[in-house]
Amino acid sequence: MSNPLAPIGRAAQYVLLALAAFVSIFPFYWMVVGATNTSADVTLGKASFGTALFDNIGKLVTTLDLPRLMFNSFFIAGVGTALTLVISSLAGYGFEIFRSRFREKVFAGLLLMLSVPFAALMIPLFIMMANLKLINTYQAIILPSVASIFIIFYFRQATKAFPHELRDAAKIDGLKEWQIFLFVYMPVMRSTYAAATIIVFMTHWNNYLWPLIVLQTNEMKTLTLATASLISAYVPDWGVVMVGAILATLPTLIIFFLLQRRFVEGMLGAVK
Amino acid sequence: MAQSQLARSEQINGWAFVAPALILLGLFMIYPILWSLWMSLQTGRGMVMSFGGFTNVMRLTQDPVFLRALTNTLTFLAIQVPIMLILALLFANALNDSKLWGRSWFRTAIFLPCVTSLVAYSVVFRSMFGQEGIINDMLMNLGLIGSPIPWLADPFWAKVVIVASITWRWTGYNMIFYLAAMQNIDRSIYEAARIDGVPAWARFWYLTVPMLKPVILFTTVISTIGTLQLFDEPNLITLGGPSDSTLTLSLYIYNLSFKFMPSFGYAATVSYVIVVLVGILSVIQFFLARDRRA
């Protein structure tokens, strides 16, 4: 019964995965190595560690107001994530749990809007924010992305696995609907929330186009925007750029590793 | 409690849960969409606009920069999305094997790119693809190329860099969807096939792929929408160049609105081209998926 080709297949499997893993990891290595090298070394493709790390950090600290940028980034991503999770999970729960004649029609309408690209919204949104005098504010960045159709869809899918008996039991115990949501639904769905937190935090943290349009002064900029502006120089200082890139990536990496175990679990619930 | 009263309170509760999201979407999505449709019928520069009807649509057909951006965007779509999704499927299939050593390590490594910041990875990629940079060094050391490739200075290679970058960033993301879906497939189906002597590639092609069809459709639609909106990478890695060879529709809209003298009406028209493209492609993809399932 043993297949003579099986060892070859197994070897091919490892080669494929090892290659994919190498290609995936290499740019991270390059980023870290680059942060320790001078700009000239990075340009010339030096792939070993250098001694310019503290020099590069020093230059970055003098070019950018790092504490301020960090605060902006964390504030926007933190508040944005919290609001998105609350509003979108409420909607996902509502769409799945409650029966109503128009429910499916409204939901189908939402899914249709999922395909409207941001480009079609950005000019009116910009003029709207200008009219509301909100250009260059946190509100202008956060508000338009707080109700995420994708996350509503995600929570609705995941809610299909939520045991209705729990809700019935809670009702018999006299809990109000919002209490059920807060004390029964949220704890049960924590894996779903964890996976959504990663996705939503990343979206807010990495947002580039909209902040580029709306945030206009240096003290309002995010770390991401500031890192991007480092390469707009005619000859960018690559060592410094790499330190900036590490700072811009570290928070999402940390969040991912903290929540990783729940992440796949949560994804599993959503695809079922 | 009477049955109808219960039903009514359920209805009210339901809408109360959904309302915040709907209000925000109405304000920041539906209203701007309609506004931008209206705007696409206006011509003029800056804030001075007048009704132009289909003037903007006519202008599209005679605008070489638009046609170039459109061709570029569709080229990226046609090449990048299939490559990425096939790779994601292959990786997921290779990882969906409980006897595989180091499974979670491989999974984490391949997923890691999509945890990076778009801006950070874009600048890192730009530094890697320099004329004297690390990628050329590695390829030359491996003997794959004889002389350095002008990655960012050549229209063809600049497109290749963009495709490679997006593939690097998003393959792991799609892989996770496939992996999650694969783990929901009943193991006994594979056991039965194995006992019947069905080879591994056939189990993949005739069992796994058909069962993943809904997820494949989902990732195709999501990736299509993403690629049609491509902005960050061309803006940061290639700056849309050389000579507009990586200019995308989104980048063109940005340039029309915020880089030069604003031309909001025309930019809105270009943005509706993306809306129409997404619409057409989604319908085609849904149609294809339904057809094959029948």
Side-chain angles (χ1 to χ4, degrees):
Chain A
M1 195 50 228
S2 87
N3 184 345
L5 288 175
I8 299 175
R10 175 116 306 215
Q13 196 178 358
Y14 278 114
V15 170
L16 178 77
L17 289 174
L19 213 63
F22 174 76
V23 172
S24 298
I25 297 295
F26 184 76
F28 289 95
Y29 171 76
W30 175 248
M31 181 167 76
V32 175
V33 160
T36 70
N37 280 317
T38 62
S39 187
D41 283 337
V42 176
T43 312
L44 290 173
K46 180 169 175 272
S48 53
F49 285 92
T51 52
L53 177 63
F54 292 103
D55 226 31
N56 290 333
I57 294 176
K59 273 192 230 163
L60 187 71
V61 171
T62 51
T63 351
L64 301 178
D65 183 359
L66 281 180
R68 178 76 204 203
L69 291 170
M70 290 291 241
F71 173 79
N72 290 345
S73 276
F74 275 108
F75 185 80
I76 289 169
V79 174
T81 305
L83 287 175
T84 309
L85 287 179
V86 171
I87 285 171
S88 304
S89 67
L90 276 172
Y93 178 81
F95 272 119
E96 186 54 33
I97 297 289
F98 299 101
R99 316 257 156 248
S100 163
R101 260 186 305 160
F102 303 108
R103 181 182 69 169
E104 293 309 319
K105 285 197 182 106
V106 173
F107 193 69
L110 287 193
L111 287 189
L112 211 64
M113 281 199 298
L114 196 60
S115 57
V116 176
F118 181 70
L121 311 175
M122 73 183 186
I123 304 161
L125 274 179
F126 176 77
I127 301 176
M128 235 167 112
M129 293 302 170
N131 290 342
L132 293 169
K133 305 253 181 307
L134 287 178
I135 296 293
N136 213 25
T137 62
Y138 297 127
Q139 297 94 297
I141 291 295
I142 297 171
L143 282 176
S145 44
V146 156
S148 156
I149 298 174
F150 182 73
I151 298 300
I152 295 173
F153 174 74
Y154 173 79
F155 270 101
R156 186 182 178 177
Q157 287 301 106
T159 306
K160 289 187 200 294
F162 176 72
H164 277 256
E165 309 83 68
L166 276 181
R167 185 167 163 260
D168 296 339
K171 282 209 132 161
I172 292 165
D173 287 347
L175 259 66
K176 295 253 185 336
E177 203 62 55
W178 64 269
Q179 290 171 316
I180 299 177
F181 182 83
L182 205 60
F183 301 121
V184 181
Y185 178 80
M186 285 178 82
V188 170
M189 305 298 282
R190 56 184 179 274
S191 293
T192 308
Y193 276 95
T197 303
I198 298 181
I199 298 172
V200 176
F201 185 85
M202 272 179 0
T203 329
H204 285 284
W205 181 272
N206 291 337
N207 208 353
Y208 172 59
L209 178 52
W210 181 234
L212 184 67
I213 297 169
V214 175
L215 298 180
Q216 300 183 334
T217 57
N218 276 336
E219 78 257 23
M220 286 305 290
K221 277 189 178 153
T222 58
L223 196 57
T224 310
L225 275 185
T227 307
S229 70
L230 286 176
I231 59 163
S232 63
Y234 185 64
V235 184
D237 191 329
W238 285 112
V240 178
V241 169
M242 294 303 174
V243 181
I246 291 177
L247 283 181
T249 295
L250 219 48
T252 46
L253 272 182
I254 292 171
I255 293 232
F256 171 71
F257 279 113
L258 287 178
L259 299 175
Q260 192 196 11
R261 280 198 19 231
R262 296 231 173 262
F263 183 69
V264 179
E265 232 176 285
M267 285 292 230
L268 221 101
V271 208
K272 253 177 197 159
Chain B
M1 211 189 283
Q3 195 63 34
S4 67
Q5 209 179 337
L6 187 75
R8 194 180 307 150
S9 97
E10 282 272 283
Q11 291 240 351
I12 293 169
N13 269 325
W15 290 113
F17 274 77
V18 175
L22 289 185
I23 291 169
L24 284 164
L25 286 170
L27 216 56
F28 296 114
M29 200 148 187
I30 300 173
Y31 177 56
I33 291 170
L34 297 176
W35 188 353
S36 124
L37 188 62
W38 169 242
M39 216 180 258
S40 70
L41 301 173
Q42 319 259 314
T43 53
R45 307 223 124 210
M47 291 295 172
V48 192
M49 310 257 266
S50 61
F51 189 79
F54 289 105
T55 329
N56 287 327
V57 182
M58 302 308 287
R59 185 174 156 190
L60 283 179
T61 57
Q62 281 142 30
D63 176 356
V65 185
F66 163 74
L67 293 174
R68 175 150 271 211
L70 178 68
T71 324
N72 290 342
T73 307
L74 292 176
T75 310
F76 287 136
L77 181 75
I79 295 172
Q80 196 270 331
V81 173
I83 292 181
M84 171 178 69
L85 295 186
I86 289 169
L87 282 177
L89 253 179
L90 288 177
F91 297 160
N93 190 57
L95 280 176
N96 188 34
D97 175 348
S98 47
K99 275 177 254 158
L100 188 82
W101 176 86
R103 202 165 158 228
S104 63
W105 285 97
F106 282 129
R107 189 183 64 206
T108 305
I110 299 173
F111 183 75
L112 223 45
C114 80
V115 185
T116 57
S117 134
L118 280 165
V119 165
Y121 108 85
S122 295
V123 300
V124 169
F125 268 63
R126 183 158 146 203
S127 79
M128 285 167 52
F129 283 98
Q131 178 99 12
E132 295 157 317
I134 184 77
I135 298 287
N136 273 337
D137 275 0
M138 286 183 7
L139 292 177
M140 277 163 63
N141 286 338
L142 288 169
L144 291 174
I145 53 171
S147 55
I149 294 173
W151 293 107
L152 302 176
D154 177 90
F156 172 78
W157 291 114
K159 281 200 182 70
V160 172
V161 171
I162 296 292
V163 167
S165 315
I166 326 171
T167 307
W168 182 81
R169 177 63 164 62
W170 293 103
T171 303
Y173 182 78
N174 290 292
M175 182 193 77
I176 290 291
F177 282 103
Y178 295 151
L179 202 53
M182 281 174 185
Q183 284 169 2
N184 281 332
I185 298 176
D186 191 354
R187 292 266 121 209
S188 59
I189 299 172
Y190 288 106
E191 286 308 317
R194 214 194 314 266
I195 290 165
D196 287 344
V198 180
W201 66 267
R203 289 198 298 268
F204 172 68
W205 189 247
Y206 293 110
L207 289 176
T208 310
V209 173
M211 277 189 281
L212 291 190
K213 204 156 278 174
V215 188
I216 294 176
L217 174 68
F218 172 75
T219 52
T220 313
V221 173
I222 293 287
S223 315
T224 303
I225 296 171
T227 313
L228 287 177
Q229 298 191 52
L230 196 60
F231 175 82
D232 299 21
E233 291 88 346
N235 191 39
L236 288 163
I237 304 178
T238 54
L239 316 172
S243 56
D244 288 344
S245 62
T246 53
L247 183 79
T248 59
L249 291 172
S250 286
L251 195 48
Y252 189 43
I253 295 167
Y254 176 79
N255 290 347
L256 282 172
S257 313
F258 300 104
K259 211 162 188 180
F260 315 122
M261 176 73 171
S263 183
F264 286 146
Y266 187 52
T269 312
V270 179
S271 77
Y272 260 86
V273 173
I274 303 184
V275 176
V276 171
L277 280 175
V278 171
I280 294 174
L281 289 169
S282 304
V283 168
I284 293 176
Q285 282 159 359
F286 274 107
F287 183 74
L288 285 178
R290 187 182 300 167
D291 205 24
R292 260 185 281 158
R293 210 181 301 161

